[in-house]
Amino acid sequence: MGDKGRRHEVAFVLGGGGVLGAHEVGMLRALAEAGIRPDLVLGTSVGALNGVFVAANPDPAAAVPLLAAVWRDGVAAEAFGGSLFGRVRTLARSGTHLHSNEPLRRLLEDLPVQRIEDLALPFQCVAASIERAAAHWFTSGPIVPAVLASAAVPGLLPPVRVGDEHFLDGGLVHSIPIGRALELGARTLYVLHVGRIERPLEVPTRPWEVGLVAFEIARRHRFAEDMSAVPPGVTVHVLPSGADAPAGVDLSQLRYRDTSRIDEYIQRAYEASAAYLASVSERAG
């Protein structure tokens, strides 16, 4: 099916964030219940994983219970889990990453189609090319390597080879790719994120926090620049995640293996986003 002959008026833009990507499932539920359907789905990292499930269904609302089951049944725990010994062994063998991407590969192989252009809705995902040090948008071709490349978190999952290039996580170049949606002609954007942009950062106090904070600064700066460049006549809805916003960010929320709060992430994002969409509908009426 692909993009041919389609207008991209309404775009769902799904950002990255590891297991915090469960927030996006709650947002998708709120959108489905509000009767909002995308003409275009764009994803980065875990947003590419969530987004491709939406794009694979002729009725995007049908993807919501499926995605909720995927998250609640432990896809995140399986993808980033394993024993400490197993992770150390993987690192020793690979020299570059702690986890295999096979659990995510198996999940993607269960999709009803195998090529991006055969999805029910137009879909694109982004990854960072190592050789070119540049963003690369996957707009056609096999789904599995494209999404694996977009979700290849440095140090956690292996770089993914596609053709003659190797790719890392799309969040390195486009954490929440609203600029791409604008390029493709979207006039109404719904931004699905993991809650980080609602939380202020604080100065790191431990060595391992330095890299996390540095990455957060880079990803948020690009998003802020994209938001400031939104032209007149375009509406961008940044859906709330329902996360608390204390004076300083709790960096423990960035621990990628913490799957204990997935149900909470889904429910809180759903409630906050449903309330937001209801208020938008009331103002429009």
Side-chain angles (χ1 to χ4, degrees), residues 16-20 45-46 76-82 86-104 148-160 167-169 172 196 208 212 215 253-258:
V19 297
L20 297 179
S45 195
V46 75
E78 185 179 7
F80 298 115
R87 297 194 301 276
V88 170
R89 184 175 57 187
T90 299
L91 178 61
R93 184 171 60 248
S94 69
T96 59
H97 54 274
L98 289 169
H99 303 280
S100 166
N101 61 12
E102 284 306 306
L104 291 179
L148 289 181
S150 186
V153 182
L156 301 184
L157 292 169
V160 174
F167 296 93
L168 285 172
D169 192 281
L172 295 170
R196 289 179 180 170
W208 62 267
L212 289 173
F215 180 66
Q253 295 305 306
L254 304 183
R255 291 174 182 167
Y256 71 96
R257 297 184 64 242
D258 182 8

Side-chain angles (χ1 to χ4, degrees), residues 80-134:
F80 298 115
S83 66
L84 175 61
F85 174 75
R87 297 194 301 276
V88 170
R89 184 175 57 187
T90 299
L91 178 61
R93 184 171 60 248
S94 69
T96 59
H97 54 274
L98 289 169
H99 303 280
S100 166
N101 61 12
E102 284 306 306
L104 291 179
R105 180 183 298 277
R106 290 193 298 269
L107 179 66
L108 292 165
E109 287 173 346
D110 286 338
L111 288 168
V113 297
Q114 295 301 309
R115 297 185 65 83
I116 292 173
E117 56 266 38
D118 294 331
L119 290 164
L121 292 171
F123 169 80
Q124 298 182 12
C125 64
V126 65
S129 167
I130 295 175
E131 286 84 358
R132 292 184 294 111

Side-chain angles (χ1 to χ4, degrees), residues 206-229:
R206 300 180 181 88
W208 62 267
E209 293 176 349
V210 174
L212 289 173
V213 170
F215 180 66
E216 283 298 300
I217 291 171
R219 72 190 298 274
R220 295 185 193 197
H221 176 69
R222 179 61 184 266
F223 175 65
E225 284 197 330
D226 285 349
M227 286 292 289
S228 68

Side-chain angles (χ1 to χ4, degrees), residues 45-54 67 71 75 104 107-108 123 147:
S45 195
V46 75
L49 176 66
N50 287 335
V52 79
F53 273 82
V54 174
L67 267 175
W71 280 90
V75 62
L104 291 179
L107 179 66
L108 292 165
F123 169 80
V147 176

